[in-house]
Amino acid sequence: MVKVNGKELDVAGESISEFLKSTDYDLRVIAVERNEEIVLKSMYDKTILKDEDVVEIVSFVGGG
């Protein structure tokens, strides 16, 4: 199980790209952190989620 934004999900074995395709996140305005390290967008295809990983996905919102 992988903890994503505090929820346990059965997505171990998927790449970050594969996981994100199954969500409604706008890839242009998010940042992904895995185990307290930022994952570069260029690494989403190569980064495979593993059991016990902790992932945080943050959306950026403009405004002023």
Side-chain angles (χ1 to χ4, degrees), residues 29-44:
V29 294
I30 64 168
V32 177
E33 179 184 274
R34 183 177 134 240
N35 301 329
E36 299 184 359
E37 292 185 16
I38 297 292
V39 179
L40 298 174
K41 289 183 192 269
S42 62
M43 295 301 293
Y44 286 2

Side-chain angles (χ1 to χ4, degrees), residues 16-59:
I16 290 177
S17 289
E18 290 170 324
F19 168 70
L20 290 173
K21 286 177 187 173
S22 70
T23 69
D24 291 330
Y25 287 108
D26 182 345
L27 300 181
R28 297 171 296 165
V29 294
I30 64 168
V32 177
E33 179 184 274
R34 183 177 134 240
N35 301 329
E36 299 184 359
E37 292 185 16
I38 297 292
V39 179
L40 298 174
K41 289 183 192 269
S42 62
M43 295 301 293
Y44 286 2
D45 286 334
K46 298 175 185 173
T47 304
I48 305 300
L49 298 170
K50 300 175 186 165
D51 279 330
E52 307 296 321
D53 277 350
V54 177
V55 176
E56 294 292 328
I57 301 171
V58 180
S59 296

